[in-house]
Amino acid sequence: MLRATFHRPLLLLALVSACRETPPPSATDAPVATAPSPARPAADVKWGTVEGRVHLMGTPPAPTLSPTTGTVVSVCGEQAEDRSLVVGPAGELAHMVVSLKSGAGLPTPSRPPPEPVLDQKKCVYEPPVLAARAGGSVTLRNSDPLVHNVRAASGSNRSFFNVAMPLEGMTTRKPLPAEPGIVPIRCDIHPWMRAVVRTFDHSYFATTSPEGRFKLEVPEGTHTLVFWHERLPPAERTVTVRAGEIAEVEQSWAVGDLK
């Protein structure tokens, strides 16, 4: 009994000493998270400009005309013209969306695009095509002395927002879906009224003017432009932009490309 009593404390002491002598894990043994590379501050970015024109080659089809209803003829006329394709006398393509393919990784533009405004004027949406930031807002305006409503769809949600606009001069702001994509817009009261909003996860986009022109201020470097129109196949162009200079781009489609 004396022998057993004598060795038990020594055994416990040895175990305690072993635990105390075990070195802590080295910091180099633990996984190290890699921090993302910080984006360059906008003040350090050198900027250039992309300017261009888009054309439709050939004679475009006549726009479809839809009869209006008797209650709006005095304001909107007897027929409303489909504006999904707006072409100038020399083939200039209006309302085409031009964007950078990889704009999300770039610094914020020094002059971000303005918040889009969708007007209801003489029973059509003006403009028929908008470009905007996903998760941003769109301003809706009613310039008609008529009751309209604006219903926007997003994916399977056919009423992402649906707002009645009964008063002439009325304006309101509505959010856009957080995910980039295409947002169709309709008026349930006047079914010929339609528009579309193309949204992005960056701010490098523009829509072409009635003269088919666009302009984008971008960081110097090589970029891929994406041309989008709901009735034409998409196209891409690579362009190299130098600081303080203008890179010019011409893009065209044939009438046979129309959907």
Side-chain angles (χ1 to χ4, degrees):
M1 294 295 296
L2 290 174
R3 185 176 181 180
T5 303
F6 178 77
H7 282 89
R8 186 173 299 162
L10 292 178
L11 178 60
L12 292 174
L13 180 60
L15 291 173
V16 171
S17 299
C19 292
R20 287 179 179 174
E21 291 172 3
T22 302
S26 171
T28 58
D29 296 334
V32 178
T34 303
S37 301
R40 287 182 295 167
D44 297 339
V45 178
K46 296 180 180 180
W47 300 92
T49 304
V50 182
E51 293 186 3
R53 295 188 302 172
V54 295
H55 289 87
L56 185 68
M57 312 301 292
T59 303
T64 302
L65 300 176
S66 299
T68 63
T69 57
T71 57
V72 303
V73 167
S74 61
V75 175
C76 307
E78 295 182 352
Q79 293 179 314
E81 184 177 290
D82 174 51
R83 303 186 69 230
S84 62
L85 180 69
V86 179
V87 185
E92 308 93 338
L93 266 170
H95 310 304
M96 172 165 278
V97 180
V98 185
S99 64
L100 292 191
K101 186 174 184 178
S102 301
L106 297 176
T108 302
S110 58
R111 289 190 292 270
E115 182 177 284
V117 177
L118 183 66
D119 201 354
Q120 295 153 98
K121 189 180 297 184
K122 294 189 176 180
C123 295
V124 296
Y125 286 124
E126 177 62 37
V129 178
L130 292 166
R133 279 294 301 259
S137 299
V138 59
T139 296
L140 309 174
R141 178 184 299 135
N142 184 8
S143 293
D144 287 339
L146 301 168
V147 178
H148 291 299
N149 85 296
V150 185
R151 178 168 57 84
S154 175
S156 60
N157 185 353
R158 300 188 62 186
S159 293
F160 181 79
F161 65 75
N162 190 352
V163 56
M165 304 194 70
L167 303 177
E168 182 179 8
M170 177 181 178
T171 63
T172 187
R173 294 174 73 237
K174 288 295 177 182
L176 291 167
E179 293 297 320
I182 298 171
V183 183
I185 291 180
R186 300 283 191 274
C187 175
D188 296 319
I189 302 172
H190 310 112
W192 62 85
M193 292 180 65
R194 59 183 303 276
V196 64
V197 184
R198 183 76 166 84
T199 63
F200 299 89
D201 59 358
H202 58 80
S203 296
Y204 290 98
F205 52 78
T207 55
T208 57
S209 68
E211 295 74 33
R213 295 185 175 273
F214 70 91
K215 180 178 180 179
L216 285 172
E217 186 181 36
V218 300
E220 66 174 345
T222 299
H223 303 282
T224 300
L225 294 175
V226 178
F227 297 84
W228 180 88
H229 191 286
E230 63 176 335
R231 293 190 58 185
L232 288 165
E236 296 185 1
R237 292 285 298 275
T238 300
V239 58
T240 298
V241 183
R242 295 181 175 86
E245 298 184 5
I246 298 174
E248 297 187 352
V249 176
E250 298 273 344
Q251 181 67 34
S252 62
W253 288 259
V255 168
D257 294 327
L258 286 169
K259 301 176 185 177

